[in-house]
Amino acid sequence: MNSRRLWRGFACLLVLVLLVGPVAAQAPAEPYELDGSTLTVFLVTMGPGQAVWERFSHNAIWVRDTVSGIDRLYNYGMFSFRQENFLKRFIRGEMDYWMQGFNGERHLQQYVAVDRSIWLQELSLTAEQRAELYAFLEWNERPENRFYRYDYYLDNCSTRVRDALDRVLGGRLYQLTGSEETGKTFRDHTRRLLAPDLAAYVGTLYSLGQPIDRPISTWEAMFLPVVMMERLRDVTVFDAEGNEVPLVTREVTLFESSGPAERQSHPVWWPGFLAVGLGIAALMLAATRSKSNAVAATLPTAWALVLGVGGAFIVGVVSFTQHWAAYWNENLFFFNPVGLALVVLIPIAAAGGRRAGKWASGLTVFAAAVSLRLTVFAAAVSLLGFVVQLLPWFDQVNGEIIAAMLPPNLALAYVVVNRLASEPNKDTQ
């Protein structure tokens, strides 16, 4: 982002200060001393960034008071790669995030500096609700209260903001959105938001299972900050006199990113994935024309490694972690741990020849026989995974994985059965 745009962003912050009013240069009052009448509460929504964890946008609650000097932006999205056992806890699904309050103006400048859009929504809360919200946020920021077990879909920086607002609104948000159907799933949103990052897109498509394919309510969809921002525009609440009024009294676009707008739908990429799968299968079959068993076995061995590592990872996640979103993963039909054995067996089967010794020839025959059975098993399981998509109990959205994996899995079985296992002792050198 050029310096001209950066300075324009800082100018927007200055304009906001002038609109809301300068904060008095004095120590903030204790929460219990406030009646809330001089507090202003904003929902702050930040657009997507470049890092994978920034693709889903972000939000926070900003509380300001021109009288007492309060200027606090409460951010529930704090984590650190330097946390103790970060990698281990991340892998096991036991990662802790925390909430922290910052000076609002200075903190928002950080998002401007990295070219992330910022939208403000002033909330129409009663004086009592504003005081209650501020007291709760201050309590929540205390060291003994600030940490929480992070969940990508059920308990994240946005759901914490949602819950804090719903708390002071007496459950009004849940009442209006808890049973409101969206026609979308967690996976729908994940696919559309990760589309700009192919590696992250493929990784989540592969690793997340059937639980994220159920329809979700608007309440659940507010795990996304932008969805929450858009839905709050239509929410009504009751003021101190009991009149029904809009929750959002005004909106301000504080800064607009120069990056692309957030996608509104997920991509249709299965034809491309199918082309990749067919291409790998074609190369595998073409290699069987070689006179050398070693050449014919190279790509099947490499594919067996993909098959085996991919299957072992899914089994490990399901068996040893708390990542509920990865459970009941139908991609296990197409990634099979038996591939790890094939990585060893296929080269042995391909190494046989008439000049090999008696013991070596026997090992070759054994390896060829076992490879034949395991590859046929893996291919049959993949075909089963494709067929069961017709049944109502198997509704995971993994068409792209099927398209990419099924052709090579079938080709692998064909190569082993018709080349490496049919003539294990033939010298083709």
Side-chain angles (χ1 to χ4, degrees), residues 307 332-336 338-339 342 372-384 406 409-410 412-413:
L307 191 73
L332 195 55
F333 283 110
F334 308 97
F335 292 90
N336 200 313
V338 302
L342 291 170
L372 183 150
R373 287 165 175 75
L374 292 182
T375 53
V376 170
F377 170 75
V381 170
S382 293
L383 281 173
L384 177 63
L406 183 57
N409 288 353
L410 297 179
L412 175 65

Side-chain angles (χ1 to χ4, degrees), residues 157-180:
C157 53
S158 187
T159 64
R160 287 271 162 165
V161 169
R162 176 201 66 190
D163 293 348
L165 294 178
D166 192 53
R167 183 178 186 273
V168 300
L169 289 170
R172 178 67 173 171
L173 288 183
Y174 183 78
Q175 177 189 0
L176 295 175
T177 64
S179 58
E180 187 176 72

Side-chain angles (χ1 to χ4, degrees), residues 101-134:
F102 299 89
N103 175 276
E105 296 167 29
R106 289 198 296 268
H107 195 60
L108 291 179
Q109 288 174 4
Q110 298 178 25
Y111 291 91
V112 173
V114 293
D115 195 26
R116 294 181 66 177
S117 296
I118 303 174
W119 301 282
L120 303 181
Q121 292 174 303
E122 185 177 347
L123 303 182
S124 179
L125 305 177
T126 66
E128 181 181 354
Q129 290 168 338
R130 280 174 273 165
E132 180 185 353
L133 178 62
Y134 174 63

